[in-house]
Structure formats: C-alpha cells, structure tokens
C-alpha cells in the first residue's frame, strides 16, 4: 500500500469527521440510532382496510428553526457547549417518518402526482439538551391534505430521556432518534389523523 494512498485516506477521514473542540461538536452527521421500536410505544392496532384505494405521498419537510444546524446543547458548564450538524434536518426527519409509517403498513407512494392524500411537515423543534441527563425534544407541525383541502393539521410531539457519559455524540444520536420515533408514534395514536390519511 503506497504512502500516497494512505495520505489520501487520512485526509478523507479528516474531512468526514466532525470537529470536536472543548466547547463544541460541529458538523456531526445525523444518524438513525433508536433504542426502541415503534411497536414498543403502545400504538393501538391500525385498521389497514380503511386505506383501500388510498395512496399517501410524504412531501418534503421544511425547517423553520432559527438555527437549522444545531441539534444539541450541553448545559453542564457555565458556557453551553453546542452540537451542530452538516446534514439536512428536515430531510432526515421526513425520511424516517416515512419509514415508520411504511413499517406500520400505510400505503405510501413516492409519486405525489398519484397521491390521494399528502402529508407535509414543518420542523419546529429538533434537539437535545444535556444537563445531568440527555433530554430530546422533537416537534413537527403536520398537515394532511387532499388536493387543496386541509383534512387535518396538528403537532407531532416527541420526547426522550436517557443517561449516558457526558457530551458524547452517540448519546445525542440515540436521544434524537428516540424523540422522533416518539413523535411519529404519538401522531399515529390520533384517530383523526389516521382517518385523514385515509382521505376521510
């Protein structure tokens, strides 16, 4: 193995690694690391038969937070230490919301043109505050439409808490993933939301 190859590999690793300083973790990737499954969150059974003939398209989410890069903050010291990401939070949230809904058996389609109903989301909160423990907070304003008509609008709100070693990126990933999963689960517990997805 040539020295030139090793040098290039080392540079690539540096480029892909988030910067860890004493007071910040910047440019961290967003990773899906839930510690539980949606089935463990007590969802009531969903009657899939009501979706016969239904095609649901998940539209791209928007992110209306002031700082679209920050996903965490450690408040254990006088000066807070922040965690930021280089990734698209709205796209991450939409992708995993879609995966969870598909896993529940809902008839999703990638083609918005053939959809009978559409689901859109606006990121209101997406982050973790660490102070003695990790506390995740995810809030997404969700709108279900059939054409130009709004069938349902409301908030998907999820939280999560966990203990872990201080200021560790892995704990931020797990807490955020669990909070997003909790938000989608709470959404699916709302019977009116489920009915709206079926176009009713």
């Amino acid at each position: 193995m040539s020295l030139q190859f090793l040098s290039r590999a080392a540079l690539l690793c540096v480029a892909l690694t988030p910067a860890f300083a004493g007071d910040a973790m910047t440019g961290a990737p967003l990773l899906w690391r839930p510690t539980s499954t949606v089935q463990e969150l007590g969802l009531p059974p969903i009657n899939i038969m009501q979706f016969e003939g239904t095609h649901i398209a998940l539209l791209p989410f928007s992110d209306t937070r002031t700082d679209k890069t920050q996903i965490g903050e450690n408040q254990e010291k006088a000066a807070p230490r922040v965690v930021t990401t280089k990734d698209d939070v709205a796209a991450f949230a939409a992708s995993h919301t879609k995966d969870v809904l598909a896993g529940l058996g809902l008839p999703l389609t990638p083609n918005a043109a053939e959809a009978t109903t559409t689901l859109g989301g606006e990121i209101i909160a997406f982050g973790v505050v660490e102070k003695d423990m990790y506390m995740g907070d995810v809030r997404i304003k969700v709108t279900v439409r059939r054409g130009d008509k709004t069938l349902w609008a409301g908030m998907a709100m999820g939280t999560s808490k966990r203990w872990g070693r201080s200021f560790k990126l892995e704990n931020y990933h797990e807490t955020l993933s669990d909070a997003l999963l909790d938000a989608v689960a709470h959404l699916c517990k709302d019977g009116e939301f489920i009915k709206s997805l079926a176009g009713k």
Side-chain angles (χ1 to χ4, degrees):
M1 188 176 295
S2 70
L3 181 60
Q4 184 180 25
F5 176 83
L6 289 173
S7 297
R8 288 179 178 175
L11 287 173
L12 179 60
C13 288
V14 170
L16 296 177
T17 301
F20 294 87
D23 59 350
M25 286 190 284
T26 60
L30 286 171
L31 298 178
W32 184 241
R33 296 287 186 270
T35 63
S36 58
T37 66
V38 69
Q39 289 78 13
E40 295 171 337
L41 298 179
L43 280 178
I46 297 175
N47 178 13
I48 301 301
M49 295 300 294
Q50 65 185 303
F51 293 98
E52 185 176 356
T54 299
H55 302 285
I56 305 164
L58 202 75
L59 302 179
F61 285 7
S62 62
D63 188 350
T64 57
R65 297 175 303 147
T66 301
D67 186 344
K68 295 175 176 55
T69 67
Q70 185 166 330
I71 57 171
E73 182 175 276
N74 177 288
Q75 298 180 351
E76 295 174 332
K77 296 184 177 181
R81 295 180 288 175
V82 300
V83 182
T84 67
T85 184
K86 60 184 178 180
D87 294 337
D88 186 331
V89 168
F92 178 85
S95 173
H96 293 291
T97 297
K98 181 178 181 179
D99 289 344
V100 173
L101 294 178
L104 292 172
L106 301 186
L108 300 181
T109 175
N111 185 359
E114 70 176 22
T116 54
T117 54
T118 60
L119 185 155
E122 176 186 336
I123 308 297
I124 305 299
F126 191 91
V128 176
V129 172
E130 181 190 0
K131 191 173 184 179
D132 300 327
M133 68 186 307
Y134 291 84
M135 296 172 289
D137 175 27
V138 169
R139 281 169 279 157
I140 306 171
K141 183 178 179 181
V142 174
T143 304
V144 178
R145 291 188 174 92
R146 181 173 55 205
D148 294 331
K149 181 181 179 182
T150 298
L151 301 181
W152 187 92
M155 293 291 294
M157 298 185 290
T159 61
S160 62
K161 296 181 180 180
R162 63 181 297 105
W163 301 102
R165 291 182 60 189
S166 179
F167 209 48
K168 295 297 179 182
L169 185 57
E170 177 184 1
N171 291 324
Y172 284 93
H173 285 150
E174 292 177 353
T175 307
L176 274 175
S177 297
D178 284 343
L180 177 56
L181 187 64
D182 187 52
V184 180
H186 274 95
L187 193 62
C188 292
K189 290 178 182 179
D190 189 317
E192 293 303 313
F193 166 73
I194 295 297
K195 286 172 59 179
S196 73
L197 285 181
K200 300 174 181 176

